[in-house]
Amino acid sequence: MTSVAHPRAAIILAAGQGTRMKSPLPKVLHPVGGRAMLDHAIDAAEALGCERIVVVVGAHSPEVRDHVVKRLGEDAIAVQDPPLGTGHAVRAAEAVLGDFVGQVVITYGDVPLLRAADIEPVFAAHEGVTVIGFVTGEPGAYGRLVTEGDTLVAITEAKEASPEILAINACNSGVMAAPVGLLFDLLAEVKNDNAKGEFYLTDVVELARRRGAPTRVVMAGEDAVMGVNSQNELAIAETVFQDDAARAFMEAGVTLIAPRTVQFAWDTRIEGGAMIEPYVVFGPGAKIASGARIRSFSHIEGATVASGAEVGPYARLRPGADLGEGAKVGNFVEVKNVRMGKGAKANHLAYLGDGEVGAKANIGAGTIFCNYDGFFKHHTTVGEGAFVGSNSSLVAPVTIGAGAMVGSGSVITRDVAAGDLALARGEQQSKGGWAARFMEKMRAKKALKAK
Ligand code: UD1
Ligand code: MG
């Protein structure tokens, strides 16, 4: 959090129904970059140093309420019921925020790309009303900003606007800041005698001017203020998010061979000097060090990959996978909650769950850590420099000692001491000439039938 001389609060509007999403999941809980849009809005408010954050929720979506309570607590909830417009929504926060003294900013749960840095200029003035505007080639239904020099004269909703005002391409993002006392005083005067019969937040601009309070506009980019109302707009926001993330990583020195094919999460961390091949998906919580290489078609979530390590192609790292320097996890290997030491290898077709693989140990193709007994999860330890032969099952809890070997195809249920060889499979038998005699007999049988 930035420390600020003037106390700040945020009111995040999230009471809309989001019917155009046509989804059982409330609109603001849809993810961008793997994080709910509402959480992006809360993140921005926190990054701005807002000491109070109030989310205005509708009575229709307990899921949104629960989500907010979990993250910010009950004190962060204001309910708007029924929804009678943006001005009405902000007023719903008055009871919760009434004791706060300072500046308040109004933001939106369905505007996921707006970052603290985009909002910061709205706080530059400590008096009057400041609005974030943007210029667009398609002003459509947005409120138009009527300005005189730096002064914002009015915001006119499209439905109320004359043709001259509709021709203005400077639009209202909806984001607004004002001293909290002034804001609620002005809102008390807002009426709903307009085309939509709603209480418009935007009316506070003219009301402020009537009182002689300054009204200003600061501009932001069109992408940053974009709101999401449909699945298509959600996908557009995701694209912008991904493009921004890819650009930032490349600027930091990450090699992305085909950036558009890589999916990042909001908290993906990749150091400069790492290489990410095409078609890699990062779920939340991925940390990739400089010098690591993530090969194509890998899926990485909640995992850490150290320098010089190589993952994939076609690998899956799940939460708790922690790959040490120079470790290798190859095709069709799934790793969950396993720490792999320096230079440890699982190059093909394996499941490593809940355990530890020591430095330089080698896990053969087809090895399974049998970590689940149907009720509980158990731990598997493979010591440094151990060699686990292909197609082995290590039934946890079990320890393979340092430098031990497990013969291919073994089912290991007891610990193997350091340096031992464990074999746990049917012993091989050979019957001299049996196959040749058998085949001869069968061929003769078949020839007889064909006649
Ligand atoms: C609003 C602005 C408009 C601006 C546009 C930017 C007003 C009157 N108009 O218009 O100038 O260009 O946003 O997108 O403010 N909401 C509630 N409760 C309500 C109504 C709305 O919480 O009763 C929330 C919605 O969930 C949504 C946001 O406020 O997130 C904006 O509401 P919406 O009805 O979409 O306003 P617009 O008509 O688009
Ligand atoms: Mg809207």
Side-chain angles (χ1 to χ4, degrees), residues 140-373:
Y142 289 116
R144 304 300 201 273
L145 301 180
V146 182
T147 52
E148 271 169 21
D150 298 344
T151 301
L152 182 59
V153 177
I155 302 174
T156 306
E157 290 306 291
K159 283 208 168 155
E160 330 281 334
S162 63
E164 298 78 59
I165 288 182
L166 280 177
I168 296 173
N169 63 1
C171 295
N172 173 30
S173 71
V175 177
M176 178 187 285
V180 68
L182 175 68
L183 179 71
F184 289 126
D185 283 358
L186 294 173
L187 280 172
E189 294 177 30
V190 169
K191 301 200 172 60
N192 65 347
D193 51 352
N194 51 44
K196 282 184 158 177
E198 289 185 359
F199 295 91
Y200 291 166
L201 171 63
T202 45
D203 283 355
V204 302
V205 173
E206 274 183 278
L207 292 168
R209 277 174 57 77
R210 260 182 238 166
R211 291 183 176 212
T215 51
R216 299 180 179 88
V217 60
V218 294
M219 301 303 279
E222 186 177 358
D223 278 349
V225 300
M226 115 168 239
V228 168
N229 296 296
S230 63
Q231 299 289 348
N232 188 47
E233 287 171 359
L234 181 68
I236 293 169
E238 184 71 40
T239 302
V240 174
F241 175 91
Q242 294 298 335
D243 285 351
D244 286 353
R247 196 175 318 113
F249 284 126
M250 290 188 284
E251 273 166 20
V254 176
T255 302
L256 299 175
I257 296 164
R260 288 226 147 174
T261 68
V262 179
Q263 182 81 4
F264 302 101
W266 92 95
D267 63 347
T268 303
R269 281 163 53 189
I270 308 176
E271 287 178 5
M275 174 171 304
I276 314 297
E277 290 187 2
Y279 300 102
V280 170
V281 175
F282 292 100
K287 281 191 234 163
I288 313 297
S290 182
R293 178 170 181 163
I294 311 298
R295 307 201 57 195
S296 293
F297 304 106
S298 295
H299 190 284
I300 298 181
E301 179 175 1
T304 302
V305 178
S307 167
E310 194 173 316
V311 175
Y314 296 100
R316 179 167 184 209
L317 301 186
R318 290 172 53 202
D322 181 357
L323 274 50
E325 273 173 49
K328 277 182 90 175
V329 168
N331 36 248
F332 307 108
V333 174
E334 174 180 347
V335 181
K336 184 213 73 171
N337 191 27
V338 167
R339 154 114 193 108
M340 292 184 70
K342 272 192 186 182
K345 284 182 191 162
N347 277 337
H348 334 263
L349 299 159
Y351 172 63
L352 313 182
D354 299 311
E356 225 167 299
V357 177
K360 295 226 161 104
N362 192 313
I363 306 290
T367 297
I368 306 291
F369 286 11
C370 307
N371 61 328
Y372 186 51
D373 61 13

Side-chain angles (χ1 to χ4, degrees), residues 434-446:
W434 191 95
R437 287 194 300 277
F438 175 76
M439 284 186 200
E440 181 66 20
K441 198 169 84 191
M442 294 308 274
R443 273 190 211 108
K445 211 172 182 176
K446 198 166 181 182

